[in-house]
Amino acid sequence: MKHILHIDTSPRSARSISRSLTEEFIRIWKQVHPGDAITYRDLGHYIVPPIDEAWIAAAFSRTETLPQELEAALKISDELIDEFLAADLYILGVPMYNYSIPANFKAYIDQIVRVRRTFIIGQDGYEGLVKGKKMLIVTTRGGKYSNGTLDFQEPYLKAIFELIGITDITFIHAENLSMGIQEGQQSIAAAHAAIHQFVAKYC
Ligand SMILES: Cc1cc2nc3c(=O)[nH]c(=O)nc-3n(C[C@H](O)[C@H](O)[C@H](O)COP(=O)(O)O)c2cc1C
C-alpha cells in the first residue's frame, strides 16, 4: 500500500488548471489503487507562514534541547515534515508564477527543507535524507518554455527536491494556457494523456 501526498499550490479554485490535473491523477490512481492512503495539502488556500528569525535560530541550533520558544518556532515545520516523510509518492500541482513558483509554495519549501530533518551537511556536502520516494510535478504555464529559456521553475524544483534526496522526479507541463483556446486545450489534453501514462507505468 502506498501513501500519497497530494499538494495543490494554486490560489485559484475551480478555474485552476493545475488543480484539475492533479485531481484527475488522484481520480484515476484511486481506481487502480483503491486501498492507498491519500493526504491532501492545499497550499493555495491555507498559507504556511514564512520562516523567521526564531525559526532559523532553532533549526540551526546545535544544542540537544531547545528553549520552549525556539521549539515552538519549529512546530509547523515539524508537522509539515512529518506529513511529508510519511508519504512515498508525491503529486504536486504548481502554476508558473513570474518564471518560477508561487510564493506560498516557496514558503512551504522553506519550512520542509531543514537540516537534520530532510538533509544533512556531511563531509562531502549536502546529503538528502528523503530516500526511495517518487514525485510527479504537474505545472501550468501561460507561455511555452520547451527550449528551457526563462524556465526557473523546473530547474529549481528539481534542484531543491534532489537536495533533500528525491531523485525520481517526473514533470508534466501544461503550457500555452494564455496563448489562445486551441493551444491551451491541446496542451491540457496532452497533460491528461501524460498523467494517464504515468499511472499506467507506475502500476
Ligand atoms: C501572478 C501570476 C504570474 C504568472 N507568471 C507567469 C509566467 O511567468 N510565465 C507563464 O508562462 N505564465 C505565468 N502566469 C500564468 C499562469 O501560469 C497560468 O495562468 C496557470 O494556468 C496558473 O495555474 P492555475 O490555472 O492552476 O491557477 C502567471 C499567472 C499569474 C496569476
Side-chain angles (χ1 to χ4, degrees):
M1 196 184 96
K2 289 257 174 298
H3 189 149
I4 297 169
L5 179 57
H6 169 195
I7 301 177
D8 279 324
T9 67
S10 173
R12 299 205 294 175
S13 304
R15 271 181 282 194
S16 163
I17 296 159
S18 59
R19 281 178 190 273
S20 69
L21 291 168
T22 61
E23 196 180 304
E24 172 72 353
F25 172 90
I26 294 295
R27 190 184 67 76
I28 57 174
W29 186 271
K30 274 165 127 175
Q31 285 174 356
V32 190
H33 305 276
D36 282 1
I38 299 171
T39 300
Y40 182 54
R41 180 152 292 274
D42 185 350
L43 296 174
H45 294 136
Y46 302 97
I47 311 291
V48 303
I51 60 168
D52 58 12
E53 183 163 358
W55 190 102
I56 296 166
F60 291 95
S61 167
R62 299 219 161 261
T63 54
E64 280 288 307
T65 336
L66 290 172
Q68 216 174 8
E69 67 278 10
L70 287 194
E71 212 164 281
L74 293 180
K75 189 169 177 291
I76 291 170
S77 171
D78 279 330
E79 285 168 9
L80 293 172
I81 290 172
D82 290 345
E83 176 183 88
F84 193 82
L85 294 178
D88 17 56
L89 172 64
Y90 305 95
I91 164 77
L92 274 58
V94 187
M96 178 183 275
Y97 274 7
N98 300 317
Y99 301 132
S100 180
I101 60 170
N104 52 309
F105 184 35
K106 177 61 166 53
Y108 173 81
I109 290 172
D110 288 344
Q111 291 281 1
I112 66 159
V113 176
R114 205 173 108 198
V115 69
R116 293 186 295 275
R117 288 293 326 263
T118 51
F119 74 94
I120 51 171
I121 306 168
Q123 279 181 339
D124 301 325
Y126 293 110
E127 192 190 324
L129 299 176
V130 192
K131 301 264 173 71
K133 317 274 188 176
K134 193 173 185 70
M135 182 174 270
L136 172 63
I137 302 180
V138 181
T139 77
T140 45
R141 298 147 166 215
K144 191 165 173 65
Y145 298 84
S146 45
N147 64 2
T149 318
L150 295 177
D151 178 1
F152 296 96
Q153 187 190 41
E154 175 174 334
Y156 168 67
L157 290 173
K158 198 167 176 302
I160 199 63
F161 284 115
E162 278 184 3
L163 181 138
I164 62 169
I166 303 172
T167 51
D168 186 352
I169 306 176
T170 302
F171 283 89
I172 294 174
H173 301 296
E175 300 192 294
N176 270 337
L177 301 175
S178 311
M179 299 295 161
I181 292 173
Q182 206 187 342
E183 284 82 351
Q185 279 177 350
Q186 272 172 5
S187 188
I188 292 169
H192 273 272
I195 287 169
H196 280 253
Q197 263 173 22
F198 181 94
V199 173
K201 195 173 154 197
Y202 197 47
C203 289

